[in-house]
Amino acid sequence: MPGSDFQTHPVFKRGVSAKVRLLGYATICVVILVADLRFRYLDSLRESLHTIISPINTVASEPVKLLGNATEHFSNMADLQDENAKLRQHQLDGAERLLRFDELERENAGLRELLGMRKKTPVKSITAEVLYSVPDSSSRKVILDQGKKAGITHGLAVVDADGLLGQVTRVYPSQAEITLITDRNQAVPVQVMRNGLRGVMFGTGQGMRALNDVPKRWQQAAQSDIGPGSLELRFVLANADIQPNDRLVTSGLDGIFLPGLPVAEVESVDREAGPFAHVICRPLGGVEKSIRVLILGRTELPPPPPKPETGDPPPLSVLPKGEHQVKSGD
C-alpha cells in the first residue's frame, strides 16, 4: 500500500492540547478583568449589552411576576372572604343582641306599665302571659299560662296597661281561658266618660276599619267585613248624646268588672239604623296583640247591713204565781 494511505485524516488531526487552550483562555480573561478593573474599558460595552438584554429580562420575568401577583391576589381574596364571613357573623350576632335588647326594653316597658296598672287597681292582681289563641274561628279566646294554682277563678277581669281585654271563662290547674271583649258572646256594661251615659258593649267577633267610605245604609251589612277586633255599643237611643272619639269605661254595674276600666273609643255613630243608634267602637287595650296581662281579683263587698228592728215590744218575762198575785192585790 502506498504510504499516503496510512496518513491521518485531517479531521482527526491533533492541534494544541485542551490544557494549553484553557490556560490561554484563562489568561485572556484575567487580562480583560484587570484591564477593566483598572482602566474601565468595558463599561460602554456592558451598558450596551444591558440595554439590549433588559427587554429580554423584563419579558422573561413577567410570567413570574404574574404568577406571584395571581397567588397574592387569590390569597388576599381568600383572606377577604374569611374576614367578610367573620364580619357578617359578627354583624348577625350584633343584630341578634340588639333585637334581644329591644325585646327586653319592650318587655320592661310592658312590665312597668302593668306594674303601674297594678298600683292603680285597688284589688289583688295576678300577672300572666298569653300562650296561644284558641283555634276557633267563631270565637275570640286566648289561653294564659296561669291557672287555679295561681289563685285564678272563673269570671275575673283581664286587663293590660291600656285597658280591658276580657274575662276568665274557664280555669284549669295551670292554665286559664280568656274570652276577649271582641267575642260576639261577651258583654260589658260601660258608660261614656264625658257624660256618664250607660250602655252595654258587645263584641262583634270581627275587626275594625274605618267606615267613613261606606254609606250609612250599608254600614250594618258591611259589619261582617270589618275584620277582627271591633266592638258595638248597644241599647243606646238614636238621640242619645254620644259622638265619635268618646271614651267608654266600665260602669261596674255587673259587679264583675271594676268601675272605671278603659274599654273602648267610639269610632262611628249611625243614628238612622232604627230606634237605637248603631255605635261601632275600637278597643283601647291590645286585645289581639298583648302578651303580658293582669288578672284582677274581685272587690271585697261590704258586710250586709243589720236587719231592721220590727218595733214589737220585748216578750214579758214569766213571773212566779205568788208574786203575781201579790202585785194584783196591791
Side-chain angles (χ1 to χ4, degrees):
M1 288 185 176
S4 60
D5 293 338
F6 296 94
Q7 290 181 355
T8 305
H9 195 275
V11 174
F12 300 102
K13 265 182 155 179
R14 297 188 62 182
V16 182
S17 65
K19 292 182 179 180
V20 175
R21 286 199 301 270
L22 176 62
L23 182 60
Y25 293 150
T27 303
I28 293 171
C29 289
V30 170
V31 170
I32 293 173
L33 288 173
V34 171
D36 180 50
L37 208 64
R38 182 175 292 275
F39 302 107
R40 297 289 185 184
Y41 288 147
L42 299 179
D43 285 347
S44 58
L45 179 61
R46 190 181 296 109
E47 291 178 0
S48 300
L49 291 175
H50 182 270
T51 304
I52 296 171
I53 297 174
S54 178
I56 300 175
N57 289 335
T58 303
V59 173
S61 63
E62 282 301 320
V64 178
K65 290 182 179 179
L66 290 175
L67 181 61
N69 292 335
T71 304
E72 184 179 1
H73 174 73
F74 288 118
S75 177
N76 292 336
M77 286 290 293
D79 294 340
L80 286 175
Q81 288 178 354
D82 293 340
E83 186 177 357
N84 288 336
K86 292 179 181 178
L87 289 175
R88 281 195 295 269
Q89 185 63 38
H90 184 70
Q91 185 179 9
L92 289 176
D93 295 340
E96 183 181 359
R97 286 195 296 271
L98 287 176
L99 289 176
R100 286 201 301 267
F101 290 155
D102 292 341
E103 181 63 25
L104 286 174
E105 286 183 356
R106 287 194 293 268
E107 182 178 353
N108 289 336
L111 291 175
R112 285 193 294 270
E113 291 177 353
L114 281 180
L115 183 60
M117 189 72 179
R118 171 178 285 183
K119 291 180 178 179
K120 292 178 184 177
T121 55
V123 296
K124 182 181 178 180
S125 57
I126 303 170
T127 57
E129 290 190 6
V130 176
L131 295 178
Y132 57 89
S133 299
V134 175
D136 186 358
S137 59
S138 62
S139 64
R140 300 282 175 182
K141 299 179 181 180
V142 295
I143 302 297
L144 302 183
D145 64 347
Q146 299 287 355
K148 190 177 298 183
K149 294 179 181 179
I152 298 176
T153 58
H154 185 275
L156 296 181
V158 182
V159 301
D160 65 0
D162 298 320
L164 183 66
L165 299 182
Q167 183 181 12
V168 178
T169 50
R170 288 185 183 177
V171 182
Y172 306 102
S174 59
Q175 294 180 349
E177 180 188 82
I178 307 302
T179 300
L180 301 176
I181 58 175
T182 52
D183 189 277
R184 62 178 65 252
N185 296 320
Q186 184 68 27
V188 181
V190 296
Q191 64 181 7
V192 180
M193 288 185 61
R194 181 172 54 84
N195 54 18
L197 178 68
R198 293 193 182 96
V200 181
M201 185 74 70
F202 286 85
T204 63
Q206 303 166 12
M208 172 57 59
R209 70 175 174 85
L211 299 179
N212 297 332
D213 55 342
V214 181
K216 290 185 177 181
R217 64 180 181 276
W218 297 109
Q219 283 185 0
Q220 189 169 1
Q223 179 66 21
S224 61
D225 191 35
I226 293 179
S230 66
L231 300 167
E232 181 182 359
L233 183 62
R234 300 178 186 174
F235 311 121
V236 175
L237 296 176
N239 60 354
D241 183 14
I242 188 170
Q243 56 191 9
N245 300 325
D246 277 345
R247 292 175 66 89
L248 305 174
V249 297
T250 53
S251 62
L253 294 180
D254 56 352
I256 297 176
F257 299 106
L258 292 174
L261 295 177
V263 179
E265 187 176 87
V266 177
E267 187 75 11
S268 64
V269 180
D270 181 11
R271 304 182 187 276
E272 300 177 2
F276 294 103
H278 187 219
V279 183
I280 300 298
C281 302
R282 175 179 57 85
L284 293 176
V287 177
E288 304 289 342
K289 58 185 179 181
S290 287
I291 301 297
R292 294 167 186 83
V293 300
L294 203 63
I295 304 170
L296 303 181
R298 290 190 174 91
T299 55
E300 296 183 0
L301 298 177
K307 295 182 179 180
E309 297 181 357
T310 58
D312 297 334
L316 296 175
S317 59
V318 179
L319 298 176
K321 187 175 180 181
E323 184 178 355
H324 177 71
Q325 289 177 352
V326 171
K327 289 182 179 180
S328 298
D330 292 337

